[in-house]
Amino acid sequence: MLLGRLVFVAVLSLLGFVLLRWLWPGLVKGGRKWVYLALVVLSLAAYLLPRALGLGAHGEIPFIGEPLKLLSTVWGVTVLIMVVAGLPVVFLRWVRERRRVDPPEGADVSLERRDLLVNAGRAVPLLALGTSAAGVVNGMSGFVVREVEVRMRNLPPALEGFRIGQITDVHVGPFITPEYLRGAVEAMNAAGAHVQVMTGDLIDDLTQLDETMEALAGCRAPHGMLAVLGNHEHFRGLNAVLRGYASLQKRGAPVRLLVDSAHVFEHEGQRVRVVGVDYPLGRGMGARTSLMQASAEKAFQGTSPEELVLCLTHHPSFFPYAVERGARLTLAGHTHGGQVAFFGMPLFWFVFEFMFGGYRRKDGYLYVSGGTGHWLPFRLGIPPEVTVLTLRGT
């Protein structure tokens, strides 16, 4: 994974340098090309130095570690935006040059089209840098508490005003600390959530696992916290994460992990069943579908018509399976809301069927959180969130 990331950054930086020679040649002439090279080296050093110093892939170097990571992020996002936005401009300039015909001597030559393309080329690096910096600032500015009202038909009277706090995609690691997670749990406590849920991708850096679990143990909700696994728990070290959750339950902390299983509690005499499903870690759509079906069959066993059924899943595509089995509310994460949105519309809305916000199907409602943290501190229009959902009858 590290090698692949280094190769990606190096190749992307090389492509960016070639594009800059077309877009704004003066920026990479003379000694300025060494400045570009130095930025590439610093960007790569953010990945290499922690390992070289024996701190591991996500280790924190005192004093320079955080600034180096931020510089690397801003640099990588800037070059990526520049490449995506600059390629069309370079292509148009190439087409113009190919079709250019030298005018007869003495003829008037309009430079308007040429100036337009030259100015557009120079604007691309500035736009990329400005967008990258704004996105990183927004990504690092902390979470918001988002209040969501969920209207349900035939909601049991005992659950009118029932509040659920949701965190998801925290990604404790290079940019998110256990203290940040502690603040998110405290925000749910302060909001008066009756139950708290964590819908996957809790941690990336397992050296911070103990502190991360201790932060979850700060839950003060009357019905505790219920959690499910995401893809990053599987990637980073599933057994360690399972042991972390088991240790919390063993010592009586109000945190319970649900893996294709359910937990039932009563709220003012009304039974509530919370179903939690595992992440469908399989290659290809067919394998994912089979895994989701298997999880649904196992996790929804024993449901009763007298219960209100809630479903927790990391992947929002599980929503149809939850509705088929009677879940009235499904909570998910995974998408980060696309991390970029304009006027409330995610830029990459087409990547997932359920990208961000609320969706209805039959009597079921799905809420896809924009995520509480991030593995890359870049967000525009989709701030990190702690979600507090309130149930209301119709």
Side-chain angles (χ1 to χ4, degrees), residues 34-76:
W34 299 111
V35 175
Y36 188 96
L37 179 61
L39 290 171
V40 175
V41 171
L42 287 173
S43 181
L44 295 174
Y47 301 108
L48 289 171
L49 272 181
R51 289 211 177 218
L53 296 174
L55 300 174
H58 301 291
E60 185 67 51
I61 305 173
F63 304 112
I64 67 169
E66 190 70 18
L68 198 59
K69 290 175 184 175
L70 288 176
L71 172 64
S72 177
T73 301
V74 172
W75 173 256

mmCIF file of all heavy atoms in Angstrom, residues 34-76:
data_model
loop_
_atom_site.group_PDB
_atom_site.id
_atom_site.type_symbol
_atom_site.label_atom_id
_atom_site.label_comp_id
_atom_site.label_asym_id
_atom_site.label_seq_id
_atom_site.Cartn_x
_atom_site.Cartn_y
_atom_site.Cartn_z
ATOM 1 N N TRP A 34 13.385 23.693 -9.244
ATOM 2 C CA TRP A 34 13.899 23.023 -8.056
ATOM 3 C C TRP A 34 12.940 23.203 -6.874
ATOM 4 O O TRP A 34 12.888 22.342 -5.982
ATOM 5 C CB TRP A 34 15.288 23.547 -7.710
ATOM 6 C CG TRP A 34 16.278 23.305 -8.814
ATOM 7 C CD1 TRP A 34 16.871 24.238 -9.618
ATOM 8 C CD2 TRP A 34 16.748 22.025 -9.252
ATOM 9 N NE1 TRP A 34 17.685 23.636 -10.531
ATOM 10 C CE2 TRP A 34 17.641 22.266 -10.333
ATOM 11 C CE3 TRP A 34 16.522 20.722 -8.848
ATOM 12 C CZ2 TRP A 34 18.285 21.245 -10.996
ATOM 13 C CZ3 TRP A 34 17.164 19.694 -9.518
ATOM 14 C CH2 TRP A 34 18.034 19.954 -10.574
ATOM 15 N N VAL A 35 12.222 24.318 -6.860
ATOM 16 C CA VAL A 35 11.187 24.501 -5.835
ATOM 17 C C VAL A 35 10.099 23.441 -6.005
ATOM 18 O O VAL A 35 9.632 22.840 -5.031
ATOM 19 C CB VAL A 35 10.577 25.922 -5.921
ATOM 20 C CG1 VAL A 35 9.416 26.066 -4.942
ATOM 21 C CG2 VAL A 35 11.642 26.974 -5.646
ATOM 22 N N TYR A 36 9.717 23.198 -7.267
ATOM 23 C CA TYR A 36 8.719 22.162 -7.556
ATOM 24 C C TYR A 36 9.227 20.799 -7.075
ATOM 25 O O TYR A 36 8.503 20.043 -6.418
ATOM 26 C CB TYR A 36 8.434 22.137 -9.057
ATOM 27 C CG TYR A 36 7.289 21.232 -9.461
ATOM 28 C CD1 TYR A 36 6.004 21.747 -9.648
ATOM 29 C CD2 TYR A 36 7.491 19.862 -9.652
ATOM 30 C CE1 TYR A 36 4.960 20.921 -10.016
ATOM 31 C CE2 TYR A 36 6.441 19.031 -10.012
ATOM 32 C CZ TYR A 36 5.181 19.565 -10.204
ATOM 33 O OH TYR A 36 4.138 18.742 -10.564
ATOM 34 N N LEU A 37 10.476 20.500 -7.385
ATOM 35 C CA LEU A 37 11.063 19.223 -6.971
ATOM 36 C C LEU A 37 11.102 19.110 -5.446
ATOM 37 O O LEU A 37 10.816 18.041 -4.882
ATOM 38 C CB LEU A 37 12.468 19.083 -7.543
ATOM 39 C CG LEU A 37 13.216 17.787 -7.167
ATOM 40 C CD1 LEU A 37 12.464 16.574 -7.676
ATOM 41 C CD2 LEU A 37 14.635 17.817 -7.728
ATOM 42 N N ALA A 38 11.430 20.219 -4.771
ATOM 43 C CA ALA A 38 11.482 20.190 -3.309
ATOM 44 C C ALA A 38 10.110 19.888 -2.712
ATOM 45 O O ALA A 38 9.990 19.140 -1.731
ATOM 46 C CB ALA A 38 11.996 21.526 -2.778
ATOM 47 N N LEU A 39 9.065 20.446 -3.322
ATOM 48 C CA LEU A 39 7.705 20.179 -2.844
ATOM 49 C C LEU A 39 7.332 18.713 -3.046
ATOM 50 O O LEU A 39 6.661 18.105 -2.204
ATOM 51 C CB LEU A 39 6.706 21.088 -3.559
ATOM 52 C CG LEU A 39 6.778 22.569 -3.177
ATOM 53 C CD1 LEU A 39 5.904 23.406 -4.099
ATOM 54 C CD2 LEU A 39 6.349 22.761 -1.722
ATOM 55 N N VAL A 40 7.774 18.136 -4.156
ATOM 56 C CA VAL A 40 7.527 16.708 -4.392
ATOM 57 C C VAL A 40 8.225 15.874 -3.327
ATOM 58 O O VAL A 40 7.641 14.941 -2.760
ATOM 59 C CB VAL A 40 8.004 16.301 -5.801
ATOM 60 C CG1 VAL A 40 7.846 14.789 -5.994
ATOM 61 C CG2 VAL A 40 7.218 17.039 -6.875
ATOM 62 N N VAL A 41 9.484 16.209 -3.041
ATOM 63 C CA VAL A 41 10.262 15.457 -2.053
ATOM 64 C C VAL A 41 9.617 15.554 -0.670
ATOM 65 O O VAL A 41 9.487 14.561 0.058
ATOM 66 C CB VAL A 41 11.713 15.956 -2.011
ATOM 67 C CG1 VAL A 41 12.465 15.337 -0.836
ATOM 68 C CG2 VAL A 41 12.414 15.623 -3.325
ATOM 69 N N LEU A 42 9.176 16.763 -0.290
ATOM 70 C CA LEU A 42 8.528 16.937 1.012
ATOM 71 C C LEU A 42 7.220 16.157 1.085
ATOM 72 O O LEU A 42 6.869 15.586 2.124
ATOM 73 C CB LEU A 42 8.272 18.423 1.274
ATOM 74 C CG LEU A 42 9.504 19.262 1.612
ATOM 75 C CD1 LEU A 42 9.138 20.738 1.681
ATOM 76 C CD2 LEU A 42 10.120 18.816 2.932
ATOM 77 N N SER A 43 6.498 16.133 -0.030
ATOM 78 C CA SER A 43 5.241 15.380 -0.071
ATOM 79 C C SER A 43 5.491 13.891 0.134
ATOM 80 O O SER A 43 4.761 13.225 0.876
ATOM 81 C CB SER A 43 4.541 15.617 -1.414
ATOM 82 O OG SER A 43 3.320 14.927 -1.476
ATOM 83 N N LEU A 44 6.527 13.362 -0.501
ATOM 84 C CA LEU A 44 6.869 11.953 -0.322
ATOM 85 C C LEU A 44 7.424 11.687 1.077
ATOM 86 O O LEU A 44 7.195 10.614 1.646
ATOM 87 C CB LEU A 44 7.890 11.534 -1.378
ATOM 88 C CG LEU A 44 7.413 11.564 -2.834
ATOM 89 C CD1 LEU A 44 8.565 11.278 -3.781
ATOM 90 C CD2 LEU A 44 6.285 10.570 -3.057
ATOM 91 N N ALA A 45 8.130 12.667 1.640
ATOM 92 C CA ALA A 45 8.726 12.494 2.972
ATOM 93 C C ALA A 45 7.660 12.301 4.038
ATOM 94 O O ALA A 45 7.900 11.636 5.054
ATOM 95 C CB ALA A 45 9.596 13.693 3.318
ATOM 96 N N ALA A 46 6.474 12.875 3.832
ATOM 97 C CA ALA A 46 5.392 12.709 4.802
ATOM 98 C C ALA A 46 5.011 11.240 4.965
ATOM 99 O O ALA A 46 4.563 10.816 6.038
ATOM 100 C CB ALA A 46 4.171 13.520 4.363
ATOM 101 N N TYR A 47 5.199 10.434 3.923
ATOM 102 C CA TYR A 47 4.911 9.000 3.993
ATOM 103 C C TYR A 47 6.135 8.198 4.443
ATOM 104 O O TYR A 47 6.013 7.200 5.157
ATOM 105 C CB TYR A 47 4.460 8.484 2.626
ATOM 106 C CG TYR A 47 3.231 9.154 2.080
ATOM 107 C CD1 TYR A 47 3.317 10.043 1.013
ATOM 108 C CD2 TYR A 47 1.981 8.895 2.619
ATOM 109 C CE1 TYR A 47 2.182 10.663 0.502
ATOM 110 C CE2 TYR A 47 0.844 9.506 2.116
ATOM 111 C CZ TYR A 47 0.949 10.391 1.055
ATOM 112 O OH TYR A 47 -0.172 11.000 0.551
ATOM 113 N N LEU A 48 7.326 8.643 3.995
ATOM 114 C CA LEU A 48 8.532 7.847 4.215
ATOM 115 C C LEU A 48 9.177 8.058 5.580
ATOM 116 O O LEU A 48 9.679 7.112 6.195
ATOM 117 C CB LEU A 48 9.559 8.162 3.120
ATOM 118 C CG LEU A 48 9.229 7.642 1.716
ATOM 119 C CD1 LEU A 48 10.205 8.203 0.697
ATOM 120 C CD2 LEU A 48 9.260 6.121 1.706
ATOM 121 N N LEU A 49 9.192 9.311 6.078
ATOM 122 C CA LEU A 49 9.918 9.609 7.303
ATOM 123 C C LEU A 49 9.422 8.823 8.523
ATOM 124 O O LEU A 49 10.241 8.301 9.287
ATOM 125 C CB LEU A 49 9.875 11.110 7.587
ATOM 126 C CG LEU A 49 10.989 11.948 6.951
ATOM 127 C CD1 LEU A 49 10.832 13.413 7.329
ATOM 128 C CD2 LEU A 49 12.367 11.441 7.385
ATOM 129 N N PRO A 50 8.104 8.739 8.750
ATOM 130 C CA PRO A 50 7.664 7.970 9.934
ATOM 131 C C PRO A 50 8.165 6.533 9.921
ATOM 132 O O PRO A 50 8.573 6.001 10.962
ATOM 133 C CB PRO A 50 6.137 8.035 9.846
ATOM 134 C CG PRO A 50 5.858 9.275 9.073
ATOM 135 C CD PRO A 50 6.963 9.360 8.071
ATOM 136 N N ARG A 51 8.160 5.893 8.756
ATOM 137 C CA ARG A 51 8.660 4.518 8.666
ATOM 138 C C ARG A 51 10.171 4.481 8.874
ATOM 139 O O ARG A 51 10.683 3.587 9.548
ATOM 140 C CB ARG A 51 8.305 3.932 7.310
ATOM 141 C CG ARG A 51 6.823 3.656 7.148
ATOM 142 C CD ARG A 51 6.610 2.469 6.247
ATOM 143 N NE ARG A 51 5.200 2.148 6.126
ATOM 144 C CZ ARG A 51 4.735 0.926 6.062
ATOM 145 N NH1 ARG A 51 5.564 -0.091 6.152
ATOM 146 N NH2 ARG A 51 3.449 0.688 5.920
ATOM 147 N N ALA A 52 10.869 5.431 8.273
ATOM 148 C CA ALA A 52 12.329 5.446 8.406
ATOM 149 C C ALA A 52 12.761 5.644 9.852
ATOM 150 O O ALA A 52 13.807 5.139 10.281
ATOM 151 C CB ALA A 52 12.918 6.552 7.525
ATOM 152 N N LEU A 53 11.949 6.359 10.622
ATOM 153 C CA LEU A 53 12.276 6.612 12.026
ATOM 154 C C LEU A 53 11.701 5.553 12.957
ATOM 155 O O LEU A 53 11.766 5.698 14.181
ATOM 156 C CB LEU A 53 11.751 7.999 12.434
ATOM 157 C CG LEU A 53 12.390 9.190 11.711
ATOM 158 C CD1 LEU A 53 11.698 10.483 12.087
ATOM 159 C CD2 LEU A 53 13.885 9.268 12.031
ATOM 160 N N GLY A 54 11.122 4.499 12.369
ATOM 161 C CA GLY A 54 10.584 3.407 13.171
ATOM 162 C C GLY A 54 9.282 3.722 13.866
ATOM 163 O O GLY A 54 8.921 3.083 14.860
ATOM 164 N N LEU A 55 8.525 4.691 13.351
ATOM 165 C CA LEU A 55 7.268 5.103 13.976
ATOM 166 C C LEU A 55 6.054 4.451 13.337
ATOM 167 O O LEU A 55 4.923 4.690 13.771
ATOM 168 C CB LEU A 55 7.122 6.634 13.907
ATOM 169 C CG LEU A 55 8.223 7.429 14.603
ATOM 170 C CD1 LEU A 55 8.059 8.915 14.345
ATOM 171 C CD2 LEU A 55 8.217 7.144 16.102
ATOM 172 N N GLY A 56 6.272 3.663 12.287
ATOM 173 C CA GLY A 56 5.152 3.016 11.615
ATOM 174 C C GLY A 56 4.548 3.905 10.548
ATOM 175 O O GLY A 56 4.915 5.083 10.387
ATOM 176 N N ALA A 57 3.582 3.347 9.817
ATOM 177 C CA ALA A 57 2.992 4.058 8.684
ATOM 178 C C ALA A 57 2.268 5.328 9.103
ATOM 179 O O ALA A 57 2.212 6.303 8.358
ATOM 180 C CB ALA A 57 2.028 3.134 7.936
ATOM 181 N N HIS A 58 1.679 5.332 10.313
ATOM 182 C CA HIS A 58 0.891 6.479 10.753
ATOM 183 C C HIS A 58 1.520 7.169 11.962
ATOM 184 O O HIS A 58 0.839 7.890 12.693
ATOM 185 C CB HIS A 58 -0.534 6.035 11.094
ATOM 186 C CG HIS A 58 -1.242 5.391 9.957
ATOM 187 N ND1 HIS A 58 -1.629 6.091 8.829
ATOM 188 C CD2 HIS A 58 -1.636 4.108 9.749
ATOM 189 C CE1 HIS A 58 -2.238 5.267 7.990
ATOM 190 N NE2 HIS A 58 -2.249 4.059 8.515
ATOM 191 N N GLY A 59 2.815 6.941 12.175
ATOM 192 C CA GLY A 59 3.481 7.549 13.318
ATOM 193 C C GLY A 59 3.556 9.059 13.206
ATOM 194 O O GLY A 59 3.554 9.625 12.104
ATOM 195 N N GLU A 60 3.620 9.709 14.360
ATOM 196 C CA GLU A 60 3.655 11.170 14.410
ATOM 197 C C GLU A 60 5.058 11.641 14.757
ATOM 198 O O GLU A 60 5.596 11.324 15.821
ATOM 199 C CB GLU A 60 2.670 11.674 15.463
ATOM 200 C CG GLU A 60 2.540 13.187 15.495
ATOM 201 C CD GLU A 60 1.902 13.720 14.225
ATOM 202 O OE1 GLU A 60 0.835 13.227 13.827
ATOM 203 O OE2 GLU A 60 2.501 14.635 13.628
ATOM 204 N N ILE A 61 5.680 12.403 13.847
ATOM 205 C CA ILE A 61 6.999 12.966 14.092
ATOM 206 C C ILE A 61 6.830 14.257 14.900
ATOM 207 O O ILE A 61 6.069 15.142 14.491
ATOM 208 C CB ILE A 61 7.724 13.270 12.767
ATOM 209 C CG1 ILE A 61 7.790 12.005 11.898
ATOM 210 C CG2 ILE A 61 9.115 13.812 13.022
ATOM 211 C CD1 ILE A 61 8.326 12.257 10.511
ATOM 212 N N PRO A 62 7.503 14.391 16.043
ATOM 213 C CA PRO A 62 7.346 15.606 16.845
ATOM 214 C C PRO A 62 7.665 16.869 16.051
ATOM 215 O O PRO A 62 8.580 16.890 15.224
ATOM 216 C CB PRO A 62 8.359 15.405 17.990
ATOM 217 C CG PRO A 62 8.543 13.922 18.068
ATOM 218 C CD PRO A 62 8.411 13.416 16.654
ATOM 219 N N PHE A 63 6.883 17.904 16.267
ATOM 220 C CA PHE A 63 7.056 19.250 15.723
ATOM 221 C C PHE A 63 6.759 19.346 14.219
ATOM 222 O O PHE A 63 5.983 20.187 13.796
ATOM 223 C CB PHE A 63 8.477 19.791 15.998
ATOM 224 C CG PHE A 63 8.848 19.783 17.450
ATOM 225 C CD1 PHE A 63 9.822 18.929 17.931
ATOM 226 C CD2 PHE A 63 8.193 20.615 18.355
ATOM 227 C CE1 PHE A 63 10.160 18.903 19.269
ATOM 228 C CE2 PHE A 63 8.520 20.602 19.697
ATOM 229 C CZ PHE A 63 9.500 19.742 20.158
ATOM 230 N N ILE A 64 7.385 18.494 13.405
ATOM 231 C CA ILE A 64 7.236 18.660 11.958
ATOM 232 C C ILE A 64 6.218 17.703 11.346
ATOM 233 O O ILE A 64 5.853 17.862 10.183
ATOM 234 C CB ILE A 64 8.584 18.472 11.236
ATOM 235 C CG1 ILE A 64 9.069 17.011 11.363
ATOM 236 C CG2 ILE A 64 9.615 19.447 11.747
ATOM 237 C CD1 ILE A 64 10.241 16.706 10.463
ATOM 238 N N GLY A 65 5.751 16.729 12.123
ATOM 239 C CA GLY A 65 4.884 15.701 11.557
ATOM 240 C C GLY A 65 3.590 16.249 10.992
ATOM 241 O O GLY A 65 3.248 16.004 9.831
ATOM 242 N N GLU A 66 2.862 17.012 11.805
ATOM 243 C CA GLU A 66 1.565 17.539 11.366
ATOM 244 C C GLU A 66 1.700 18.519 10.204
ATOM 245 O O GLU A 66 0.990 18.401 9.199
ATOM 246 C CB GLU A 66 0.847 18.206 12.546
ATOM 247 C CG GLU A 66 -0.608 18.567 12.277
ATOM 248 C CD GLU A 66 -1.502 17.352 12.160
ATOM 249 O OE1 GLU A 66 -1.099 16.256 12.619
ATOM 250 O OE2 GLU A 66 -2.606 17.493 11.615
ATOM 251 N N PRO A 67 2.616 19.526 10.274
ATOM 252 C CA PRO A 67 2.775 20.418 9.122
ATOM 253 C C PRO A 67 3.170 19.674 7.844
ATOM 254 O O PRO A 67 2.717 20.031 6.756
ATOM 255 C CB PRO A 67 3.895 21.377 9.563
ATOM 256 C CG PRO A 67 3.861 21.345 11.045
ATOM 257 C CD PRO A 67 3.463 19.950 11.411
ATOM 258 N N LEU A 68 4.005 18.642 7.985
ATOM 259 C CA LEU A 68 4.432 17.886 6.819
ATOM 260 C C LEU A 68 3.252 17.149 6.184
ATOM 261 O O LEU A 68 3.113 17.113 4.957
ATOM 262 C CB LEU A 68 5.520 16.891 7.226
ATOM 263 C CG LEU A 68 6.401 16.314 6.103
ATOM 264 C CD1 LEU A 68 7.115 17.433 5.360
ATOM 265 C CD2 LEU A 68 7.413 15.334 6.689
ATOM 266 N N LYS A 69 2.388 16.576 7.011
ATOM 267 C CA LYS A 69 1.206 15.891 6.486
ATOM 268 C C LYS A 69 0.268 16.865 5.782
ATOM 269 O O LYS A 69 -0.289 16.564 4.722
ATOM 270 C CB LYS A 69 0.471 15.179 7.619
ATOM 271 C CG LYS A 69 1.197 13.970 8.189
ATOM 272 C CD LYS A 69 0.443 13.419 9.381
ATOM 273 C CE LYS A 69 1.179 12.268 10.041
ATOM 274 N NZ LYS A 69 0.500 11.813 11.265
ATOM 275 N N LEU A 70 0.078 18.042 6.380
ATOM 276 C CA LEU A 70 -0.802 19.033 5.759
ATOM 277 C C LEU A 70 -0.230 19.515 4.435
ATOM 278 O O LEU A 70 -0.954 19.668 3.452
ATOM 279 C CB LEU A 70 -1.011 20.212 6.712
ATOM 280 C CG LEU A 70 -1.884 19.930 7.932
ATOM 281 C CD1 LEU A 70 -1.936 21.150 8.843
ATOM 282 C CD2 LEU A 70 -3.292 19.541 7.508
ATOM 283 N N LEU A 71 1.094 19.770 4.419
ATOM 284 C CA LEU A 71 1.738 20.182 3.173
ATOM 285 C C LEU A 71 1.566 19.110 2.106
ATOM 286 O O LEU A 71 1.243 19.407 0.947
ATOM 287 C CB LEU A 71 3.217 20.448 3.412
ATOM 288 C CG LEU A 71 4.067 20.715 2.153
ATOM 289 C CD1 LEU A 71 3.605 21.986 1.462
ATOM 290 C CD2 LEU A 71 5.549 20.786 2.501
ATOM 291 N N SER A 72 1.757 17.856 2.493
ATOM 292 C CA SER A 72 1.616 16.752 1.548
ATOM 293 C C SER A 72 0.201 16.670 1.010
ATOM 294 O O SER A 72 -0.017 16.441 -0.186
ATOM 295 C CB SER A 72 1.999 15.435 2.230
ATOM 296 O OG SER A 72 1.816 14.342 1.359
ATOM 297 N N THR A 73 -0.787 16.870 1.886
ATOM 298 C CA THR A 73 -2.185 16.816 1.452
ATOM 299 C C THR A 73 -2.506 17.944 0.490
ATOM 300 O O THR A 73 -3.114 17.733 -0.569
ATOM 301 C CB THR A 73 -3.115 16.878 2.674
ATOM 302 O OG1 THR A 73 -2.825 15.782 3.541
ATOM 303 C CG2 THR A 73 -4.569 16.800 2.242
ATOM 304 N N VAL A 74 -2.129 19.181 0.873
ATOM 305 C CA VAL A 74 -2.396 20.328 0.003
ATOM 306 C C VAL A 74 -1.712 20.140 -1.349
ATOM 307 O O VAL A 74 -2.299 20.395 -2.409
ATOM 308 C CB VAL A 74 -1.922 21.641 0.667
ATOM 309 C CG1 VAL A 74 -2.026 22.805 -0.319
ATOM 310 C CG2 VAL A 74 -2.764 21.930 1.905
ATOM 311 N N TRP A 75 -0.466 19.657 -1.322
ATOM 312 C CA TRP A 75 0.276 19.453 -2.566
ATOM 313 C C TRP A 75 -0.401 18.403 -3.443
ATOM 314 O O TRP A 75 -0.629 18.616 -4.632
ATOM 315 C CB TRP A 75 1.707 19.030 -2.260
ATOM 316 C CG TRP A 75 2.480 18.651 -3.502
ATOM 317 C CD1 TRP A 75 2.807 17.412 -3.927
ATOM 318 C CD2 TRP A 75 2.973 19.560 -4.495
ATOM 319 N NE1 TRP A 75 3.496 17.474 -5.110
ATOM 320 C CE2 TRP A 75 3.608 18.781 -5.484
ATOM 321 C CE3 TRP A 75 2.947 20.945 -4.628
ATOM 322 C CZ2 TRP A 75 4.208 19.347 -6.599
ATOM 323 C CZ3 TRP A 75 3.560 21.507 -5.745
ATOM 324 C CH2 TRP A 75 4.170 20.714 -6.709
ATOM 325 N N GLY A 76 -0.730 17.266 -2.857
ATOM 326 C CA GLY A 76 -1.329 16.197 -3.640
ATOM 327 C C GLY A 76 -2.649 16.599 -4.257
ATOM 328 O O GLY A 76 -2.907 16.343 -5.443
#
